[in-house]
Amino acid sequence: MSGTYLGMPAFPEAARQALGDDTLRANLRHATHTIRDKRARAVAELDDWAELREAGKQIKDHTLQHLDTYLLQLEEAVTAAGGTVHWAADAAQANRIVTDLVKATGETEVVKVKSMATQEIELNEHLAAEGITAYETDLAELIVQLGDDRPSHILVPAIHRNRSEIRDIFRDQMGIWGRPAPEGLTDEPAELAEAARLHLREKFLRAKVGISGANFMVAETGTLVVVESEGNGRMCLTLPDTLISVVGIEKVVPTWRDLEVFLQTLPRSSTAERMNPYTSMWTGTADGDGPRNFHLVLLDNGRTDTLADEVGRQALRCIRCSACLNVCPVYERAGGHAYGSVYPGPIGAILTPQLRGTTSEVDASLPYASSLCGACYEVCPVAIDIPEVLVHLRERVVDQGGHHLERAAMSAAAWAFDHPAVLAAGQRMASRTRRLHPSRLPGPGRAWSDSRDLPQVPDRPFRDWWQRQQGEKGDAQ
Amino acid sequence: MRVALFLTCVNDTLYPGTGRAVVRLLNRLGVDVDFPLGQTCCGQPHYNTGYRRQAEPLAHRFADVFADYDAIVTPSGSCGAMVRELYPRMGRRAEAEGRGSSLAEAIAKVVPVTYELTEFLVDILGVTDVGAYFPHKVTYHPTCHGLRSLGLGERPRQLLAAVKGLELMELPGAEECCGFGGTFAMKNADVSASMGRDKVAAAVSTGAAALCTADNSCLMHIGGIIRRQDEDIRPLHIAEILASTEDEPLT
Ligand code: SF4
C-alpha cells in the first residue's frame, strides 16, 4: 500500500482485487451494515427529517448561487476577528501557502485535525518534502498514517482494518513515530484507545502549530466549525499557538440559523448520533484563549469548474456525512481504495471526476462504478441525486471519445430500435438460431457469462404471438 | 379506457411469457389491452450508459406510438421509471441546451398515463385480489427503480398476499440492489456478480420455491446466477403469478 493515488488501476480491476480479499470484505460488510442500520434508526426519530433535508438542500443551493458574496463576507468577518485569509486556486498553491506559514513559525512538526481538504491536496506529503512532519491525531487517521496506508472511508478512514490489524500496526509503528505502544497490547478496544491516547497526548502538548479543515464556515460572523467524536480535534484547535485551516470554498453557510439545520442532519447521518460529542467553533483569535495566530486558506481546486456545471454542481452540497458510502452495495464490496481518491463511494464517484477531470483511466471509470440503485440518493441529507450526476458524467466520458465499440453498438441499437421491422427480424433470427447459442460467450461477452448463464431465447418473440392471436381473433369474428 | 401494453424490448425478445401473462391477467380483469406494434425500446440502455441524445429519437417514437391511449401499462419498473422520471428530464435538458421544446411537448401526454403493472392494478383498477392461484412459497425482491424511482411501495406485496395458496416469505435485505444495473453488469462484472450471488443466497435462505420481481431485466441477471449455481429456486415475474388461476395454473 502506498500513500498516493498515482497509477491506480481503473475501478473494475481495483474492485476485483478487493473482492478477493475475504478479511477486507468481512470488515467492510460488518462495519457498513452496523452504521447503516443505526443511521436509519436515528433518522426515523425525527418526524421533520424530510423538511430538514429539503432545507439543507435549499440553503446549500442558495449559498452556491451567491458564493462570491458569502466568501467576501466571510473574509471580512474573519479578518475583523483577527484572522488572515488566503485564497488558493489549486492544490499546489494551497500547499505552498501552508508550508510557508509553518516555516515562518520556525517549527518542523504540526498536529492535524482530521480533514478531507488537506488529504485532497496531499498536504502531508508536501510538508514532508519540505522537512515538516505532520502528525494525524484522529484515531482512525492515526491508524492509516502509522500503517502507511490510505484512507478508505470519509468518516472512518480505517474502516477496512479490524482490531487485530490495528493492534499489530500500533505495536510495530508507534515507537517509530513517538511514544511506543504499551507492552503486551491486546486488541481490546479500550486498550487500543488508551494506547492512542498516550501516544497522542505527548504530541498535543508539544505542538506549536495545528492544521485543520472545517465542516462549516459561517459567513455572518466568520466562525469556523469542526464537529467530531473524540475530542482530539478540540486539542489541536485550542492548544497550539498557530492554527491553519484549509477549507473548500463550498463549506460556507450564510448564517447561524442555516448552520442549525446541518448540526441536526450531519451527526444523525454520519455517526447516527443525535448530537456529535464535540462541536468546536472559533472566530478569529481571542486574547489569552486558544491560538494567537489564525490563518484560513480557502481552497478552490476544481470547485468553481464544478459549480459551472448545471447538473454536476449539486455535488458541492455534500456535507461529507458518508451515509451514501454506508448504504452503497458497490462500496461495500469494492472498498474505498478502489475509488482512487480521498473521496470514496458514491460521492467520490461524482466528485472526483469533477474536481480532477475524467482524463485518467481511474477517473473516467468512476461514473460507471454504480448500478444506479439510488440507495445513496435516498439517504443523502442534502438530497444530492447521485445517480443523476453519475449518468451525466457518463455522458461526459462518452463525449470525450470514450469507448469506440460501445458507441458503435449504441448507435446501431438506436437505429434498429427506431425501425421496428429490423428489430422484429433480429428477434426472429435469434429465435431461429437459439439452439446454436452457447451458454458461455467469448470476448467481451465473458463479462456476463463468466458468472451468469445467458437467458434462453424463446421460440418466438411476443410480437409474433400477438399478431397470430389477433389474426385468429379477426378470423373468428 | 384505451389501454396499451408497453412490453419493453427485453420482454418482447426474451420473455414473451410475461407479455402473454399480462394480456391474460388484464383480459380476465375486463381490460381490453392493445399491443401497438411500433413499440421497441424506451432508450434506457442508451440513456444510462451516457448516450442521452441517442435515446431521444426513441422517446419521440414512444410518444408517437402510444399517443392515442388513456393508459400505458408496462411490466417493468425500470422502463416505467425511464418514461416517468427520465423522459421529462431529457426534455428539460434538451431545452436547456437550446434544442427546443419538441421533446418536452411530445412526451407531455404519455408520461402521466404510463403505469407500472402493479400500480395500474392497485391504483387504476383498484384491485389487490386479482383472483390468482399459486400454491407455493414465494419471496419478493423489490427492484431498485420500482422501489425508489416509482415508489411502488407495498403494492406488489399486497397483490401477492392476496393470491390463493401463496405463502409470502420475507426476503432478508430485500431493498439491496441485485447488482444488475444495465451495463453495470458488464462494466463491473465482478461487483455485479457478487451482489447477485448475495441476493440469490438471501432468496434461497427463505426456503421459497420462487423468487419474484416486477422486472425481468433484474431477473435475467438473478436467474443467470441461479442457473449457473444450479439453485433450487425459480425466478418468476409477478405477472406470471398473478395470471395463474386454478383453471389455468402456471406450470
Ligand atoms: S453525498 Fe450526501 S450522503 Fe454522501 S457524504 Fe455527501 S452529504 Fe453525505
Side-chain angles (χ1 to χ4, degrees):
Chain A
M1 195 64 60
S2 83
T4 70
Y5 298 100
L6 290 176
M8 279 290 298
F11 185 86
E13 174 54 23
R16 196 182 60 77
Q17 291 170 15
L19 273 168
D21 184 339
D22 291 340
T23 314
L24 174 69
R25 176 93 177 80
N27 292 352
L28 275 174
R29 184 179 165 80
H30 174 75
T32 55
H33 281 253
T34 309
I35 309 182
R36 139 179 357 168
D37 295 345
K38 282 204 294 216
R39 186 215 73 100
R41 284 197 295 275
V43 164
E45 282 183 354
L46 296 183
D47 43 20
D48 61 346
W49 181 259
E51 287 88 349
L52 283 167
R53 183 173 184 251
E54 181 60 26
K57 171 186 178 200
Q58 290 193 16
I59 291 166
K60 283 282 181 178
D61 278 349
H62 166 87
T63 315
L64 289 168
Q65 211 170 5
H66 306 282
L67 194 56
D68 48 348
T69 312
Y70 289 117
L71 286 173
L72 291 174
Q73 191 188 0
L74 175 80
E75 178 181 37
E76 207 172 301
V78 170
T79 312
T84 309
V85 176
H86 310 258
W87 299 79
D90 56 22
Q93 260 186 31
N95 285 323
R96 189 73 258 151
I97 293 167
V98 176
T99 310
D100 288 347
L101 288 171
V102 177
K103 282 191 167 166
T105 66
E107 294 296 317
T108 54
E109 289 183 352
V110 300
V111 285
K112 283 190 69 202
V113 186
K114 176 174 161 26
S115 138
M116 300 302 297
T118 58
Q119 284 176 10
E120 177 188 321
I121 62 174
E122 302 188 337
L123 178 65
N124 291 9
E125 290 74 13
H126 283 84
L127 288 175
E130 307 257 356
I132 299 161
T133 311
Y135 296 108
E136 294 291 349
T137 66
D138 172 86
L139 178 54
E141 289 292 357
L142 175 70
I143 297 165
V144 169
Q145 184 172 47
L146 294 179
D148 189 24
D149 200 352
R150 281 181 286 112
S152 67
H153 189 278
I154 292 177
L155 190 80
V156 200
I159 198 169
H160 55 291
R161 297 290 197 189
N162 62 25
R163 281 166 20 187
S164 66
E165 290 176 291
I166 294 168
R167 191 261 328 269
D168 294 347
I169 292 170
F170 279 9
R171 194 189 51 208
D172 300 343
Q173 298 296 323
M174 270 184 170
I176 301 169
W177 287 80
R179 181 177 170 142
E183 284 289 315
L185 180 68
T186 74
D187 65 0
E188 279 306 307
E191 278 193 37
L192 294 173
E194 183 60 16
R197 188 174 292 126
L198 294 169
H199 179 82
L200 289 171
R201 186 67 44 130
E202 180 198 67
K203 305 240 180 310
F204 292 135
L205 295 175
R206 207 170 60 204
K208 295 278 183 281
V209 181
I211 295 180
S212 83
N215 295 92
F216 305 97
M217 307 184 284
V218 185
E220 64 176 349
T221 53
T223 305
L224 271 72
V225 184
V226 163
V227 299
E228 47 141 356
S229 299
E230 297 170 358
N232 294 346
R234 170 78 50 92
M235 300 263 211
C236 297
L237 295 168
T238 50
L239 289 174
D241 291 335
T242 299
L243 174 62
I244 305 167
S245 302
V246 182
V247 189
I249 52 175
E250 82 284 17
K251 298 277 158 210
V252 66
V253 294
T255 67
W256 284 75
R257 269 194 69 178
D258 300 316
L259 179 64
E260 179 255 345
V261 171
F262 301 110
L263 290 186
Q264 293 185 71
T265 52
L266 178 55
R268 284 180 198 261
S269 298
S270 57
T271 48
E273 289 166 309
R274 294 177 181 141
M275 190 182 174
N276 47 284
Y278 291 85
T279 303
S280 301
M281 303 177 173
W282 68 100
T283 308
T285 55
D287 284 337
D289 185 16
R292 280 177 292 133
N293 307 299
F294 170 56
H295 295 273
L296 171 60
V297 182
L298 291 172
L299 178 71
D300 185 323
N301 206 31
R303 285 162 176 75
T304 37
D305 291 342
T306 306
L307 193 55
D309 185 311
E310 228 176 287
V311 178
R313 67 170 65 128
Q314 55 186 309
L316 295 177
R317 293 204 292 259
C318 176
I319 55 173
R320 312 277 189 264
C321 72
S322 65
C324 58
L325 279 63
N326 299 331
V327 294
C328 178
V330 178
Y331 172 84
E332 179 192 325
R333 288 168 179 81
H337 293 151
Y339 294 81
S341 109
V342 293
Y343 302 111
I347 181 61
I350 61 168
L351 196 57
T352 309
Q354 297 200 82
L355 294 179
R356 294 204 301 220
T358 44
T359 46
S360 82
E361 209 195 332
V362 65
D363 292 347
S365 71
L366 287 176
Y368 300 91
S370 166
S371 65
L372 306 178
C373 81
C376 47
Y377 177 33
E378 198 173 48
V379 296
C380 177
V382 285
I384 300 173
D385 191 339
I386 294 176
E388 179 187 19
V389 183
L390 286 166
V391 170
H392 176 68
L393 294 172
R394 290 176 186 184
E395 264 181 51
R396 193 184 285 184
V397 174
V398 166
D399 288 346
Q400 81 191 10
H403 315 263
H404 299 292
L405 272 176
E406 178 183 277
R407 181 197 304 278
M410 283 291 170
S411 297
W415 181 79
F417 283 137
D418 213 12
H419 296 80
V422 175
L423 172 67
Q427 287 172 328
R428 283 169 205 137
M429 177 65 79
S431 289
R432 269 201 298 276
T433 56
R434 68 201 181 108
R435 309 234 175 273
L436 307 173
H437 295 178
S439 67
R440 297 190 191 224
L441 294 173
R446 284 186 49 193
W448 179 277
S449 65
D450 269 355
S451 51
R452 290 156 285 213
D453 275 14
L454 290 165
Q456 283 147 350
V457 177
D459 60 358
R460 58 185 168 165
F462 175 84
R463 62 180 64 232
D464 285 5
W465 172 84
W466 174 263
Q467 279 174 292
R468 187 181 303 180
Q469 201 224 20
Q470 291 304 100
E472 284 166 11
K473 253 201 227 165
D475 292 346
Q477 275 161 12
Chain B
M1 184 163 59
R2 295 203 59 200
V3 179
L5 169 61
F6 163 45
L7 185 56
T8 80
C9 57
V10 166
N11 287 324
D12 183 9
T13 309
L14 296 173
Y15 301 97
T18 298
R20 293 196 295 270
V22 176
V23 172
R24 207 162 74 231
L25 170 65
L26 291 180
N27 286 348
R28 195 172 80 219
L29 296 170
V31 177
D32 190 17
V33 60
D34 192 14
F35 178 83
L37 288 164
Q39 65 179 285
T40 56
C41 168
C42 62
Q44 189 190 187
H46 301 80
Y47 183 89
N48 280 345
T49 316
Y51 296 82
R52 173 168 51 94
R53 281 181 294 278
Q54 277 95 322
E56 286 178 2
L58 299 175
H60 272 291
R61 161 169 290 279
F62 184 95
D64 287 347
V65 168
F66 293 102
D68 294 331
Y69 295 91
D70 304 309
I72 303 155
V73 183
T74 181
S76 162
S78 61
C79 300
M82 175 70 188
V83 174
R84 282 245 298 277
E85 192 185 24
L86 302 179
Y87 277 10
R89 189 177 284 175
M90 282 164 62
R92 285 195 300 272
R93 290 288 298 151
E95 279 186 281
E97 289 164 355
R99 293 188 291 114
S101 56
S102 74
L103 182 59
E105 283 160 20
I107 59 165
K109 184 162 176 292
V110 288
V111 166
V113 295
T114 298
Y115 305 96
E116 185 277 334
L117 175 67
T118 65
E119 274 179 327
F120 182 73
L121 295 172
V122 176
D123 300 355
I124 304 302
L125 299 185
V127 288
T128 46
D129 185 349
V130 297
Y133 171 73
F134 191 69
H136 302 283
K137 287 182 179 170
V138 172
T139 191
Y140 176 73
H141 165 58
T143 56
C144 299
H145 292 156
L147 179 75
R148 299 192 183 89
S149 302
L150 292 178
L152 296 183
E154 283 304 303
R155 293 179 188 87
R157 264 187 275 254
Q158 284 168 353
L159 289 159
L160 288 173
V163 172
K164 202 169 154 203
L166 187 147
E167 192 184 339
L168 194 55
M169 315 298 288
E170 208 43 57
L171 178 66
E175 300 194 346
E176 276 174 48
C177 177
C178 72
F180 173 59
T183 38
F184 176 76
M186 304 284 283
K187 285 185 189 282
N188 278 283
D190 296 291
V191 178
S192 165
S194 163
M195 289 162 71
R197 281 192 293 268
D198 287 354
K199 181 60 70 184
V200 169
V204 168
S205 80
T206 66
L211 170 56
C212 170
T213 77
D215 206 320
N216 273 331
S217 320
C218 304
L219 276 188
M220 178 167 70
H221 159 79
I222 297 171
I225 290 172
I226 288 175
R227 274 202 305 280
R228 176 62 52 89
Q229 297 183 177
D230 206 11
E231 299 287 357
D232 194 17
I233 190 167
R234 173 182 184 187
L236 207 50
H237 192 284
I238 191 168
E240 310 209 20
I241 294 178
L242 298 180
S244 169
T245 59
E246 272 167 298
D247 293 340
E248 274 183 273
L250 178 70
T251 49

